[in-house]
Amino acid sequence: ASACSSGAESASKVGDIGAANCDVVFSALPSCKIVENVFDELMDGASTSSNERSTVYVDCSTVAPSISRTIHESVAKAGHSHMDAPVSGGVKGATDGTLTFMVGSDLPSLERATPYLDRMGKAAIHCGGSGTGSATKLCNNLALAAQMAGICEAMNLGEALGVDPIVLADVMNASTAKCWSCEVDNPHPEVAAVRGMTPASKNYVGGFASKLMLKDVGLAVDAAQDEGVAVPIGASTKELYRLIEKRGFGEKDFGILLQFLRGL
């Protein structure tokens, strides 16, 4: 509604977007199946478009690389272009316009989409051809999940040993343990409150949902199995987030892992 009040036009169904003669269409969806269904409808609509210039479809969803490549092929058959361009930066990055886009596409498509990407983020990194953006995002989040698990274990142990969590976080952020999960999205509520971080200071509301981290790590582990690559730490963090979702905390930020380790 707020977008429409600013001049945007609404569509009654997904196919209408495909038929709307848009230069660039962005999508950001929560699962592989939903992405597949949406692009099926978009291409149905695109088949009725009278646009003489092709549309660039920029999918910012985090999906399996194989899904990105399949969609790329179907979009190309319809005479249009497709980019897999998942993002990193979280809610704060989206709010501040500092997201990083990991792009899998041909260079001409990226050039057409760049003015829009520049409005939303600080960087659009070309990772290669179709599917490489999605692959890069899965690798990033595989590492991020393990990173958060390590920070949660360290914060939990430090407090049990009598170290002030704020002091511990400050030392880690000035030492070799410094990372995004400690410095920007510290999972300890006291650290988050003092340093102005969210969502740990707000009962883990907002941020990156644990169920989405479970999905991303699951996709990464599946891809690793397909390629015969060992990811034992990734498999362990996947199981941790599976248990968190089973406990009913899937909507909470993935830093809720700290409370899970405490027996939440």
Side-chain angles (χ1 to χ4, degrees):
S2 59
C4 289
S5 66
S6 298
E9 296 180 13
S10 63
S12 60
K13 57 182 185 295
V14 173
D16 290 345
I17 299 172
N21 299 336
C22 298
D23 286 333
V24 180
V25 172
F26 281 83
S27 56
L29 302 162
S31 74
C32 293
K33 187 61 178 176
I34 293 174
V35 170
E36 290 178 304
N37 290 341
V38 165
F39 269 91
D40 283 344
E41 293 187 45
L42 283 171
M43 291 306 99
D44 285 343
S47 66
T48 67
S49 173
S50 61
N51 193 5
E52 295 182 358
R53 189 185 189 195
S54 65
T55 297
V56 178
Y57 290 90
V58 185
D59 185 28
C60 298
S61 314
T62 300
V63 299
S66 59
I67 297 294
S68 293
R69 288 191 289 267
T70 298
I71 291 173
H72 175 85
E73 291 176 3
S74 68
V75 172
K77 287 179 181 178
H80 302 285
S81 301
H82 170 267
M83 296 167 49
D84 45 291
V87 302
S88 180
V91 174
K92 188 176 188 303
T95 301
D96 295 344
T98 58
L99 295 170
T100 295
F101 292 88
M102 296 160 247
V103 181
S105 75
D106 57 73
L107 290 175
S109 296
L110 175 56
E111 289 174 3
R112 285 180 60 187
T114 293
Y116 303 94
L117 297 172
D118 287 346
R119 294 292 297 272
M120 296 184 284
K122 64 179 180 180
I125 302 171
H126 187 240
C127 301
S130 175
T132 58
S134 293
T136 301
K137 176 61 185 291
L138 294 187
C139 292
N140 181 80
N141 279 19
L142 181 71
L144 177 61
Q147 179 192 98
M148 178 59 84
I151 294 301
C152 287
E153 289 187 346
M155 296 300 298
N156 195 34
L157 176 61
E159 193 166 20
L161 293 173
V163 182
D164 184 302
I166 297 170
V167 172
L168 178 58
D170 285 346
V171 170
M172 291 169 69
N173 285 328
S175 305
T176 52
K178 180 179 179 179
C179 61
W180 189 87
S181 296
C182 190
E183 185 178 32
V184 178
D185 191 31
N186 194 288
H188 197 290
E190 290 181 31
V191 177
V194 170
R195 298 292 178 250
M197 303 175 187
T198 56
S201 61
K202 297 182 178 180
N203 194 28
Y204 303 94
V205 173
F208 187 58
S210 294
K211 67 178 184 180
L212 294 180
M213 180 55 85
L214 172 61
K215 181 208 74 172
D216 291 0
V217 175
L219 289 172
V221 170
D222 289 346
Q225 291 176 341
D226 290 343
E227 299 299 326
V229 175
V231 286
I233 296 174
S236 296
T237 54
K238 175 187 174 182
E239 179 63 13
L240 285 171
Y241 282 106
R242 186 190 70 79
L243 292 172
I244 286 172
E245 184 175 50
K246 190 174 181 180
R247 289 276 187 93
F249 297 109
E251 298 292 340
K252 297 285 190 178
D253 177 76
F254 75 119
I256 193 72
L257 176 58
L258 173 61
Q259 304 305 326
F260 177 79
L261 295 175
R262 291 175 167 178
L264 177 67

